[in-house]
Amino acid sequence: VWGWRRTPVGHGATWLVAASAAGLLFAAGMAGWDPAAAVTEIALIIAVAACVWLASRQAPPERWPAVLAVVISGLTLLGLRQVGGGPEYAASVLEHIPEHIREAAAERLASRRAFASQPLPSHLAVLLATALPLLLDRLRPRWTTAPWVVAAVLCVVGLLLTRSPIGVALALAACTALAVARNRSRLVAVVLVLALVLILVVVGRGDVMDFDPVNLRLDNWRTAFWVWTTAPASGVGTAGFAQAAQAVPFEVGNRPMHAHSLPLEWLAEFGPVGFLVFVFLAVSLWRLMRSLWPHRPDLAVAMAVIPAHNLFDFSLYGSGVAVPWALLVGWGWALSRSAPETG
């Protein structure tokens, strides 16, 4: 009701398009390879769209994105517990994890890589990388900024604990862009610290030095192209990639649930239409970021981190990443409408 009252009248065409898209997603899922998984995926898409819409109805107070970033930084505390916990702690955690991901979680705990409440360390890393520029932009030489400082330190520590090269690299890129926009010396110092963290992560990961993650990504993308060729016009349906990928006829390093590339997964599941929808959404996000850049570069770069991650991963398929990102996009949309004209 709150959101509806803040929505201008005369948007019947928009609602018709949204309803039609939801219907097509449902139909594609029911006719695809995995209808049960499709229902879950469609529910997440609807939840993300609802969060964007509700958050965009009214411009938030200036500090709300940073407050969300503080909450995200708290995940580092859980990550510290995971990394420092012993076998008894690991056993207690595994008891409460669903059976279908228990084996993967056990591997993460054994590797001493933090993942907090997320399914993978890289998903925690991309959340922290999203939060960091929102916190750094609020740093001032005053004691009142102490909460932002503590949260920013937690983000950097958490990134190190995940040992995720792509997560640290995205944080480094986001903070570099913010340093260019704001031209503050303290931001340059953070960029240098993140560069050091990236070096430590890469050197400390033997599999990264052997290019194992890169080879697995290439296998995943080859699989995505093959899945698409099985139904080049319509795709294999909503959430159908995981089942279709099990039938890949050539040798691959793994048979994942996702393609580790959102545009390729949408190409495989929805055909050329899915790929074009991704391009349309990417261009729309880019235009929104450009409108925010002059007055809120921190929010602009934070909004870009998770979509960039999903060119190489699948973090948007988890509500723990998708919902916070949807809030940021909605707030950015609202702020772009209320921003003064520039140029």
Side-chain angles (χ1 to χ4, degrees):
V1 174
W2 179 89
W4 188 264
R5 289 176 177 173
R6 287 162 176 78
T7 301
V9 297
H11 284 65
T14 302
W15 291 111
L16 179 60
V17 170
S20 300
L24 289 173
L25 279 173
F26 184 79
M30 295 304 100
W33 285 59
D34 195 343
V39 172
T40 302
E41 193 169 304
I42 293 169
L44 178 61
I45 293 172
I46 293 173
V48 168
C51 284
V52 171
W53 176 68
L54 284 171
S56 69
R57 295 307 85 194
Q58 182 173 305
E62 184 184 2
R63 65 175 59 190
W64 275 21
V67 171
L68 176 61
V70 171
V71 175
I72 291 173
S73 72
L75 293 174
T76 296
L77 300 177
L78 181 54
L80 282 166
R81 184 72 177 93
Q82 290 172 340
V83 172
E88 293 183 359
Y89 173 76
S92 66
V93 170
L94 294 175
E95 289 180 1
H96 303 287
I97 291 179
E99 186 175 353
H100 67 282
I101 62 172
R102 189 172 297 167
E103 182 178 351
E107 292 178 1
R108 306 303 175 197
L109 289 169
S111 69
R112 297 296 180 90
R113 293 180 63 194
F115 56 93
S117 59
Q118 304 304 309
L120 294 171
S122 64
H123 294 193
L124 172 60
V126 76
L127 273 176
L128 297 172
T130 298
L132 191 54
L134 298 171
L135 296 166
L136 295 178
D137 196 57
R138 300 198 63 83
L139 299 188
R140 303 289 187 276
R142 298 193 298 267
W143 69 268
T144 53
T145 63
W148 315 122
V149 173
V150 172
V153 171
L154 283 174
C155 285
V156 175
V157 171
L159 285 165
L160 180 59
L161 293 177
T162 65
R163 292 159 52 202
S164 169
I166 188 171
V168 180
L170 287 171
L172 177 59
C175 293
T176 300
L178 183 61
V180 170
R182 294 303 198 194
N183 193 25
R184 297 175 186 162
S185 59
R186 66 180 68 93
L187 294 178
V188 176
V190 174
V191 168
L192 294 176
V193 170
L194 288 172
L196 176 60
V197 171
L198 180 58
I199 293 171
L200 292 174
V201 167
V202 171
V203 172
R205 288 270 306 272
D207 60 332
V208 173
M209 299 297 288
D210 293 335
F211 295 98
D212 289 346
V214 175
N215 293 329
L216 287 175
R217 291 295 187 278
L218 293 175
D219 281 348
N220 298 157
W221 298 344
R222 287 173 59 211
T223 298
F225 275 115
W226 178 84
V227 170
W228 170 57
T229 62
T230 64
S234 61
V236 296
T238 309
F241 175 84
Q243 290 293 331
Q246 305 308 307
V248 64
F250 46 82
E251 185 177 351
V252 290
N254 62 355
R255 298 175 188 270
M257 292 182 61
H258 297 285
H260 289 76
S261 174
L262 191 60
L264 293 183
E265 186 155 348
W266 283 11
L267 174 67
E269 293 187 348
F270 307 113
V273 172
F275 187 81
L276 291 175
V277 168
F278 173 84
V279 172
F280 170 77
L281 293 176
V283 171
S284 299
L285 181 64
W286 173 253
R287 294 179 61 184
L288 176 57
M289 289 165 52
R290 286 188 60 185
S291 69
L292 288 172
W293 183 256
H295 56 284
R296 287 302 301 266
D298 59 318
L299 185 55
V301 297
M303 286 166 39
V305 171
I306 290 173
H309 183 246
N310 280 266
L311 296 175
F312 311 98
D313 213 301
F314 59 94
S315 55
L316 275 174
Y317 282 91
S319 59
V321 172
V323 171
W325 178 75
L327 288 175
L328 292 178
V329 172
W331 286 339
W333 185 6
L335 290 168
S336 69
R337 293 199 306 267
S338 61
E341 294 291 332
T342 57

